Amino acid sequence: MKKIQFLIVVLLYTFFSATGFAAELIELKGKVVDAETQQPLPGASILIPDLRVSVMTNESGEFTLKNVPARGSFLVQIRYVGYQTITQIVDFKNVGSMEFALKSSEIAGREVVITGSANSSDNKKNSTSIATVSKADLLYRPSTNLIDAISRTPGVSQITTGAGISKPVIRGLSYNRVVTLNNGVKQQGQQWGDEHGIEIDQYSADRVEVLKGPASLMYGSDALGGVINILDALPAPEGTIKGEFLTNYATNNGLTGSSLMLQGNENGFVYRARGSYKNAYSYQTPTEYVPNSGFNESNFEGQIGLNKRWGYAHLDASSFRTNIGFYEPARNEDGQLVNEDGAPFTDEQNKDRTLAFPKQDVRHYKVALNSNILLGEGSLKATLGYQHNLRRELEAAEEDPALFLNSYTYSYDLKYSFNEVNGWAPVVGASGEFIHSLNTGGQEQLIPDFDSQAFGGFAFVKKTWDKNTFNIGARFDYRKMIGKDFHTDDVDFGAFSNKFSHITGALGYTHEFNDALSFKANAGSAFRAPNIAELSSNGVHEGVFRYEVGNPNLKPEQSYQFDASFDYENKYLSASLGGFANYINDYIYYNTSGETKEVDGRNFPVYNFVQDNAFLRGIEASLTLHPVSFIHLENGFSFTRATNRTTKESLPFIPAATLRNELRFEPKINGTEHSYLSVGIDNFFKQSKIDSFEQPSSGYTLLNAAIGTTVKLSKTQDITVYIAGKNLLDKAYYDHLSRFKPGRLSDEDPTLGIYNQGRNVTFGVNIPFTLKK
């Protein structure tokens, strides 16, 4: 408790003491025009991500940026619908009135990303492979959670437990090999568990950046497979108060979701508040309802902060809770799913939004202080975080939790960027975290109580010249894991203390041949320390029907990856083609020799955590065509092959090759904007490259469609409405990464399986509003 109080005091002191620097305010003015006609472009967006400020042009195409530093070089992004996005580094010390000329284009291009580097950068100048998912894609495509929404990205997929739980997979790697960031803080919520999802509100994300490949240089252990960076929108422009209300309904499981947000900016004092709620009953496959597979989710979050001439400091806090039903499947002689008494479930039970037992009750509390302060000739970015995760597995109303995991995480991340000299931009940084985890009153213990400490420091430099960028960096990491001694009649955990350290590095290069064609390549090493479950499990993991045995002598995983890609982009076309090769030494996975162990009168298969060497490789491609203003054709392909170099077998949980195609018609309709009608076909190929305990998965094709528009109710008010359908032909299929497919759902009956979600049509409304302009 003292640690929590101390952290809160530090956060509040740091936040409020920053106001002492706010003596002088400056303004920067400029204009955005059409490059050919020189006509002003009203409503264009000007954004400076590293300062967390934005502004829109007025009717004359002019803008004024307030409360920005009087010195320093920052990346400025200018966006306008129907024009090419441009990015430009601006030296605020020497800038006068700025003018930006945009060229018309059906392809926006020039994405600005912040993942994988200390400062915002043009994605073409970033050597790592980063894909972005917009807010529109997060909202207007049928999905049940945040990870489900981003899984259409080439190279990204998901391990699912029904409709309520999704775990991210990047190029075949998941669990603790993928870092999820939110508000700059590494999410810590028992990611090692198969049936543990991500405790983040889908509606709060403005966009998601996915870094594909090793990212230990910036993010330390656990970023061996990649990073999912969930980014909030920039604060409201100076002097404005605005917000949004959105709501949707999905036909398959009655999923209703609503979110209300309000934010403002008064003389550099920024604030935001959001409340969201989701509720769903049992989802339906093409053949049946899946009993007790409903869920509900609520999130309340807020932000206060300062945007001043010295930089910014923002304090975020959130309270997330989700309840998820679970069902241990059993069928009668007629093939119907039945309850423990052998009776089939009724429609009334399947559509009951009150969850039955067993179920999970998960709560996640988070406080984060993010700042970027001008210091000397450079700037210091700092993120301090506190998280409290409580995960209860409940078997009955009157009983104590079957499992109760209670963890506290304290973290910090510091990056100092030196002033760029002759194209050289050095960065140094340090980060660390402390985790204290307890079993609190649970009847079962799958892992022991433990403490984990981590520290890392890095140095990184980027050199830019002509059309080239080159970067190199190195990092040292240290991690200590202490497992506590714990013995009862049912469980036996011996005390242990493990220390891991490693040096990693990265080397990258990009080249722009011309305005259309560019190339990027990156070579990097990464490491991952074993997680608590891999080191110490000794018991029945009820959610996956197996007895797990950890190994305290495991070594850290070591990854060596190379990836490269070509990108082409002009006024009507955008295309990319890339590949990767990833060698992982001491790859950790679980395996069974056929041994069983009896617990409470039932035999469970015993799975031991072991290590071998692995090799993953694959290709990713995308093609977007916009031959005329009202036709948009988007295609994406990804393929990953993963081999155990020791046994020569395939690795488990590797996604099947995927080809996605979507044709969109975008007509111009008076009184509306961004109208569209789309038809999409998703092709999932057969996956027969599997581990010995898996079963192959057949290929399948899904038909999707959507229609939507933004209606102009007045000059300042609009409303977006949409209808989106997924699996419209109600195809019965098993996704290869579904934990409900045959061979994974039951150790007693390898033929028992539950299909993925059937036809699902989502109806949605999004209403932005402005209270003060």
Side-chain angles (χ1 to χ4, degrees):
M1 187 65 184
K2 292 182 179 179
K3 292 181 179 179
I4 300 174
Q5 294 171 345
F6 174 75
L7 180 59
I8 292 175
V9 169
V10 171
L11 293 176
L12 293 175
Y13 174 79
T14 304
F15 175 73
F16 288 110
S17 65
T19 61
F21 295 97
E24 179 186 349
L25 306 177
I26 68 166
E27 296 182 351
L28 292 178
K29 297 184 178 182
K31 189 174 184 179
V32 180
V33 299
D34 184 294
E36 294 182 5
T37 66
Q38 298 301 305
Q39 293 297 308
L41 296 178
S45 299
I46 296 87
L47 308 97
I48 310 177
D50 288 328
L51 296 178
R52 303 288 293 168
V53 296
S54 65
V55 68
M56 296 185 70
T57 56
N58 59 21
E59 293 296 327
S60 301
E62 299 172 339
F63 65 89
T64 300
L65 282 165
K66 299 181 179 181
N67 298 321
V68 294
R71 57 180 175 81
S73 296
F74 299 94
L75 184 144
V76 179
Q77 183 185 35
I78 302 91
R79 300 190 309 212
Y80 192 70
V81 176
Y83 287 78
Q84 271 190 335
T85 298
I86 64 173
T87 61
Q88 184 175 322
I89 300 295
V90 176
D91 185 351
F92 283 19
K93 185 176 182 180
N94 300 316
V95 68
S97 181
M98 299 177 289
E99 181 168 308
F100 301 100
L102 303 187
K103 297 179 180 179
S104 62
S105 174
E106 302 300 334
I107 304 293
R110 291 292 178 184
E111 291 178 319
V112 171
V113 296
I114 68 171
T115 310
S117 60
N119 299 301
S120 300
S121 63
D122 186 331
N123 202 9
K124 287 188 176 182
K125 299 181 183 296
N126 196 319
S127 64
T128 53
S129 177
I130 299 178
T132 61
V133 183
S134 68
K135 186 178 183 70
D137 287 333
L138 293 172
L139 293 180
Y140 304 151
R141 297 182 187 274
S143 60
T144 56
N145 55 64
L146 181 64
I147 302 305
D148 185 27
I150 69 173
S151 63
R152 293 181 58 85
T153 305
V156 181
S157 45
Q158 56 178 328
I159 295 173
T160 60
T161 303
I165 297 176
S166 297
K167 299 185 74 69
V169 181
I170 299 178
R171 293 177 171 175
L173 299 176
S174 185
Y175 297 88
N176 284 87
R177 299 181 180 95
V178 173
V179 164
T180 301
L181 297 175
N182 184 224
N183 290 329
V185 176
K186 182 189 296 186
Q187 187 79 3
Q188 293 289 6
Q190 323 286 352
Q191 294 97 315
W192 50 266
D194 292 76
E195 71 281 19
H196 300 172
I198 304 295
E199 304 90 352
I200 296 174
D201 178 14
Q202 175 181 350
Y203 299 137
S204 68
D206 181 65
R207 77 179 196 278
V208 178
E209 295 179 0
V210 182
L211 190 160
K212 295 177 280 188
S216 288
L217 178 64
M218 291 289 178
Y219 305 103
S221 177
D222 296 355
L224 183 142
V227 175
I228 293 175
N229 194 0
I230 301 162
L231 301 169
D232 293 339
L234 296 183
E238 170 70 31
T240 65
I241 301 175
K242 64 179 186 176
E244 70 173 5
F245 172 74
L246 60 92
T247 185
N248 53 51
Y249 173 80
T251 59
N252 183 278
N253 57 350
L255 173 61
T256 60
S258 298
S259 184
L260 176 64
M261 184 273 290
L262 182 70
Q263 64 175 347
N265 184 340
E266 190 65 41
N267 194 30
F269 175 75
V270 301
Y271 56 89
R272 183 180 68 241
R274 179 183 291 274
S276 302
Y277 182 72
K278 285 183 180 180
N279 187 291
Y281 52 73
S282 297
Y283 79 91
Q284 190 174 13
T285 76
T287 60
E288 61 194 347
Y289 280 98
V290 182
N292 201 35
S293 60
F295 63 92
N296 58 71
E297 174 186 305
S298 61
N299 181 66
F300 299 95
E301 61 183 49
Q303 179 187 85
I304 56 173
L306 294 171
N307 284 15
K308 296 296 183 179
R309 65 183 300 271
W310 42 263
Y312 70 82
H314 295 162
L315 182 65
D316 296 272
S318 64
S319 172
F320 179 96
R321 182 179 182 181
T322 183
N323 294 280
I324 304 173
F326 281 92
Y327 169 64
E328 187 167 343
R331 296 190 186 276
N332 60 18
E333 294 180 353
D334 297 326
Q336 297 172 302
L337 293 170
V338 295
N339 61 24
E340 58 185 10
D341 298 323
F345 290 84
T346 65
D347 284 347
E348 183 179 0
Q349 288 175 310
N350 287 324
K351 293 186 177 181
D352 188 348
R353 294 178 184 268
T354 302
L355 300 179
F357 293 93
K359 64 180 181 180
Q360 277 191 21
D361 179 354
V362 182
R363 308 179 193 196
H364 195 87
Y365 307 99
K366 183 188 301 180
V367 179
L369 175 66
N370 288 280
S371 63
N372 188 10
I373 310 297
L374 295 184
L375 199 62
E377 293 300 316
S379 62
L380 175 66
K381 281 188 176 181
T383 300
L384 303 177
Y386 163 72
Q387 298 174 78
H388 185 194
N389 184 272
L390 302 101
R391 184 175 301 275
R392 298 176 177 88
E393 294 185 5
L394 307 169
E395 297 289 346
E398 304 301 326
E399 297 179 359
D400 292 332
L403 187 70
F404 190 172
L405 298 173
N406 190 354
S407 69
Y408 302 85
T409 302
Y410 312 84
S411 62
Y412 63 90
D413 183 81
L414 308 171
K415 296 184 180 73
Y416 185 79
S417 301
F418 295 87
N419 187 40
E420 182 177 315
V421 178
N422 295 327
W424 291 93
V427 180
V428 295
S431 61
E433 67 180 9
F434 173 78
I435 301 175
H436 179 56
S437 180
L438 302 168
N439 287 281
T440 305
Q443 301 175 22
E444 305 167 0
Q445 287 79 32
L446 180 61
I447 59 173
D449 296 350
F450 73 93
D451 291 332
S452 174
Q453 303 174 32
F455 166 79
F458 75 91
F460 172 86
V461 64
K462 177 185 285 188
K463 166 65 174 176
T464 303
W465 74 100
D466 298 330
K467 297 290 186 179
N468 305 281
T469 62
F470 168 80
N471 60 263
I472 187 171
R475 180 186 179 100
F476 171 78
D477 274 287
Y478 170 82
R479 175 163 292 199
K480 183 178 181 180
M481 182 81 73
I482 300 174
K484 308 296 181 64
D485 187 77
F486 187 78
H487 303 279
T488 69
D489 294 337
D490 299 320
V491 296
D492 185 12
F493 293 111
F496 69 90
S497 177
N498 286 357
K499 299 178 182 179
F500 309 100
S501 61
H502 200 72
I503 295 177
T504 56
L507 183 69
Y509 173 74
T510 70
H511 178 71
E512 295 182 66
F513 297 96
N514 49 49
D515 289 341
L517 181 63
S518 61
F519 169 78
K520 64 172 61 180
N522 192 76
S525 63
F527 100 109
R528 183 184 74 89
N531 64 45
I532 185 63
E534 295 164 340
L535 290 169
S536 62
S537 290
N538 187 19
V540 176
H541 197 162
E542 298 285 359
V544 291
F545 318 110
R546 61 176 179 251
Y547 193 100
E548 295 183 354
V549 179
N551 180 358
N553 298 316
L554 292 173
K555 302 175 183 178
E557 296 178 338
Q558 302 177 45
S559 166
Y560 304 92
Q561 175 169 300
F562 174 80
D563 62 76
S565 66
F566 285 91
D567 295 272
Y568 182 84
E569 183 180 283
N570 63 21
K571 190 174 181 178
Y572 304 107
L573 180 148
S574 175
S576 69
L577 175 64
F580 70 92
N582 190 2
Y583 290 85
I584 304 177
N585 294 333
D586 297 315
Y587 180 87
I588 302 170
Y589 65 105
Y590 51 73
N591 201 358
T592 180
S593 62
E595 178 188 358
T596 61
K597 189 175 182 69
E598 183 178 338
V599 178
D600 295 333
R602 178 180 172 183
N603 285 323
F604 290 88
V606 176
Y607 279 78
N608 295 275
F609 286 95
V610 297
Q611 290 187 289
D612 282 322
N613 297 326
F615 176 38
L616 295 89
R617 60 278 193 198
I619 59 174
E620 294 155 8
S622 65
L623 174 64
T624 300
L625 296 173
H626 224 313
V628 293
S629 62
F630 59 88
I631 295 180
H632 178 99
L633 179 62
E634 185 173 325
N635 310 272
F637 174 77
S638 60
F639 167 77
T640 299
R641 177 80 171 93
T643 307
N644 186 320
R645 288 153 49 202
T646 306
T647 66
K648 308 305 179 185
E649 294 183 345
S650 297
L651 294 180
F653 284 103
I654 301 301
T658 307
L659 174 64
R660 300 181 188 269
N661 309 276
E662 182 181 33
L663 177 63
R664 290 165 62 97
F665 296 92
E666 300 172 338
K668 303 293 184 181
I669 303 175
N670 291 335
T672 69
E673 294 180 345
H674 315 309
S675 300
Y676 65 90
L677 171 64
S678 71
V679 178
I681 297 177
D682 294 342
N683 300 283
F684 293 80
F685 295 84
K686 179 181 179 180
Q687 179 57 290
S688 57
K689 304 297 184 180
I690 55 175
D691 199 355
S692 57
F693 70 86
E694 294 185 296
Q695 293 188 14
S697 300
S698 302
Y700 55 92
T701 299
L702 304 181
L703 176 66
N704 312 310
I707 184 172
T709 188
T710 298
V711 180
K712 300 293 294 183
L713 302 179
S714 67
K715 189 175 181 179
T716 59
Q717 181 62 59
D718 56 49
I719 178 174
T720 298
V721 294
Y722 64 93
I723 304 172
K726 184 177 181 180
N727 191 11
L728 290 177
L729 299 182
D730 210 24
K731 173 73 175 180
Y733 70 95
Y734 296 112
D735 184 278
H736 185 68
L737 299 188
S738 169
R739 292 186 53 249
F740 285 174
K741 73 183 292 288
R744 294 200 182 110
L745 192 56
S746 170
D747 61 289
E748 298 173 326
D749 181 6
T751 65
L752 180 61
I754 295 176
Y755 289 121
N756 281 76
Q757 196 171 45
R759 182 185 298 111
N760 189 25
V761 180
T762 299
F763 301 84
V765 177
N766 188 9
I767 307 174
F769 56 87
T770 300
L771 301 180
K772 179 182 178 182
K773 186 175 181 179

